[in-house]
């Protein structure tokens, strides 16, 4: 009986280990499927911008920036995507990156007043979005 229990226990442990080995592959497939979905969404300018706004509202600003970058890659003349991208750079507190992007915007395309307002709102943008949870640290807690 003891021998049977030991074999059964090993079988359960090995099965669990096998499932653990499959999980990263399944996770990668899910991530690739999500990237495909985001690529499809960002192919349409309005849908991509709406998706980025939804991501930002839920505190996923880096994802929103990535979505807008995909929109701008497909629609390089998208004024709305460029302006929102600069604003989200402000929101993640990349003031320098946002300033460079805003300074590269043509007043004839965007309007002087819109750019003045964007610059003014940049310093407070980070307070307008919920904080997203911090990513788990990959360090072991030791200091070098």
């Amino acid at each position: 009986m003891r021998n049977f229990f030991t074999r059964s226990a090993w079988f359960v442990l090995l099965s669990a280990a096998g499932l653990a080995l499959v999980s990263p592959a399944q996770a990668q497939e899910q991530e690739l499927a999500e990237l495909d979905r985001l690529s499809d969404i960002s192919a349409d300018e309005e849908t991509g911008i709406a998706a980025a706004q939804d991501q930002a509202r839920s505190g996923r600003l880096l994802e929103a920036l990535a979505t807008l970058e995909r929109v701008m890659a497909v629609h390089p003349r998208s004024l709305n995507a460029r302006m929102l991208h600069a604003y989200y750079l402000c929101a993640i507190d990349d003031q320098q990156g946002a300033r460079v992007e805003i300074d590269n915007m043509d007043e004839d395309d965007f309007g002087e007043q819109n750019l003045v307002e964007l610059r003014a709102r940049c310093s407070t943008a980070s307070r307008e979005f919920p904080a997203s949870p911090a990513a788990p640290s990959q360090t072991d807690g030791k200091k070098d």
Side-chain angles (χ1 to χ4, degrees):
M1 176 84 165
R2 179 177 177 196
N3 199 15
F4 173 76
F5 177 73
T6 304
R7 285 185 187 157
S8 296
W10 275 110
F11 179 75
V12 169
L13 287 174
L14 291 174
S15 296
L19 290 175
L21 293 175
V22 172
S23 293
Q26 287 176 338
Q28 185 176 16
E29 285 179 28
Q30 289 174 345
E31 289 174 11
L32 291 174
E34 178 64 10
L35 287 174
D36 285 342
R37 186 186 72 79
L38 289 172
S39 291
D40 292 343
I41 287 172
S42 59
D44 178 71
E45 181 180 2
E46 290 180 19
T47 305
I49 290 171
Q53 290 171 321
D54 287 343
Q55 291 165 331
R57 274 192 290 276
S58 65
R60 299 180 346 247
L61 288 166
L62 295 177
E63 290 177 37
L65 283 164
T67 299
L68 288 170
E69 287 169 4
R70 284 189 295 275
V71 169
M72 291 185 302
V74 176
H75 305 280
R77 300 188 58 78
S78 174
L79 302 180
N80 291 331
R82 286 186 61 201
M83 190 165 252
L84 198 55
H85 187 265
Y87 184 66
Y88 290 163
L89 285 174
C90 297
I92 65 167
D93 206 24
D94 182 0
Q95 301 294 317
Q96 182 178 1
R99 197 172 305 116
V100 167
E101 193 160 324
I102 295 167
D103 289 345
N104 286 330
M105 293 178 182
D106 187 355
E107 285 183 6
D108 292 338
D109 290 335
F110 292 92
E112 181 181 356
Q113 184 58 36
N114 288 333
L115 295 179
V116 167
E117 184 178 327
L118 181 58
R119 283 184 184 96
R121 290 186 61 199
C122 192
S123 62
T124 61
S126 63
R127 290 181 249 155
E128 294 186 30
F129 296 94
S132 63
S137 174
Q138 298 296 321
T139 63
D140 60 0
K142 295 179 184 175
K143 293 184 180 180
D144 293 326

